Amino acid sequence: EEEKGKLVVQIADGQKQLSEIEDKILYMLANSTGNILDDEVLIATLAASKTTSEQINAQVAQAEETKTKIDEACEGYRPVATRGSILYFVVANMGGVDPMYQYSLQYFIKLFNLCMEKSEVSD
């Protein structure tokens, strides 16, 4: 989750930089006087922004790909989490059926570990 958070921040920073580059170019084009092909500062800024934009786009693409892999890995644990929560709430609510079924957290942990030991290994 921590790595995923860092990737989200990195993607947002990259998109912000791209937006700033676009704004800078639009400002220079709007305030350009005469032939824009003769404006060396504008041409240099366009060239620099092109390389910066390509680098940022590559980083954003890499971050998106990594984020997708992290999400897929997290989804692999969802069935275990679902079963664990079902088991916990079944044991926790058994006291409502009959008071003799009230169990402690230690009992739940032992039951959970027993279920984990006896369960089949998934791929």
Side-chain angles (χ1 to χ4, degrees), residues 23-33 36 42 46:
D23 291 343
K24 183 178 180 181
I25 291 170
L26 289 174
Y27 175 78
M28 292 180 78
L29 286 171
N31 293 325
S32 174
T33 56
I36 60 172
L42 177 61
L46 285 171

Side-chain angles (χ1 to χ4, degrees), residues 76-118:
Y77 292 101
R78 190 167 303 277
V80 174
T82 301
R83 289 182 185 144
S85 67
I86 290 170
L87 180 62
Y88 173 78
F89 287 110
V90 165
V91 171
N93 289 323
M94 284 182 68
V97 174
D98 193 313
M100 75 175 201
Y101 293 119
Q102 293 179 350
Y103 296 107
S104 66
L105 180 60
Q106 291 175 341
Y107 172 78
F108 171 74
I109 292 171
K110 287 180 184 177
L111 181 63
F112 182 80
N113 288 334
L114 179 67
C115 290
M116 292 300 287
E117 290 171 5
K118 290 186 175 185

Side-chain angles (χ1 to χ4, degrees), residues 27-56:
Y27 175 78
M28 292 180 78
L29 286 171
N31 293 325
S32 174
T33 56
N35 189 354
I36 60 172
L37 297 176
D38 294 335
D39 191 351
E40 292 181 17
V41 174
L42 177 61
I43 292 172
T45 303
L46 285 171
S49 66
K50 179 181 175 184
T51 57
T52 305
S53 175
E54 289 171 353
Q55 292 171 351
I56 291 171

